[in-house]
Amino acid sequence: EDFEKVEKLACEGLSTLTGELAGTYYPLKGMDKAVQNKMIEDHFLFRADDSVLGDAGGYNCWDTGRGIFHNKDKTFLTWLNEEDHFRFISMQMGGNLGQVF
């Protein structure tokens, strides 16, 4: 239930992003297999395969309220309810740290 509340609030907030940060949210629950495979190929998808996190209860209610948001350029990502409620990731090719921030 808490995962779903966080997911709902996050989706509401992420849907307000504009410009280069605007993007799409992909919930894990019910994710299309083709989308899932593409996320794995892009190294964006987190999976329930860490034994330490599993032993700590990190995969209870797996896939409920969990997902990934990314912008169209795939330079700004947000993981929801993986190990953290929110994990913000900024990525750029090359060594320009200013672009990451």
Side-chain angles (χ1 to χ4, degrees):
E1 186 177 297
D2 288 341
F3 288 117
E4 291 167 324
K5 287 180 184 176
V6 169
E7 181 182 42
K8 181 180 183 296
L9 289 170
C11 287
E12 288 172 4
L14 292 168
S15 70
T16 67
L17 296 176
T18 60
E20 70 181 68
L21 296 179
T24 304
Y25 177 69
Y26 301 89
L28 287 187
K29 191 171 197 166
M31 183 180 281
D32 178 80
K33 197 67 170 168
V35 172
Q36 184 180 33
N37 289 338
K38 180 63 176 156
M39 293 278 187
I40 290 170
E41 181 183 309
D42 289 342
H43 304 284
F44 293 164
L45 187 64
F46 50 83
R47 299 174 302 204
D49 63 357
D50 181 319
S51 63
V52 175
L53 193 55
D55 290 345
Y59 300 128
N60 295 346
C61 306
W62 183 253
D63 86 356
T64 299
R66 300 169 197 254
I68 301 166
F69 171 91
H70 68 71
N71 66 346
K72 75 174 181 66
D73 294 329
K74 298 181 181 178
T75 56
F76 173 70
L77 295 91
T78 302
W79 286 359
L80 296 179
N81 292 319
E82 192 244 358
E83 288 182 39
D84 311 301
H85 290 302
F86 293 92
R87 181 175 296 181
F88 297 98
I89 303 166
S90 178
M91 301 187 307
Q92 294 287 335
M93 296 297 287
N96 187 337
L97 290 178
Q99 285 183 336
V100 175
F101 293 104

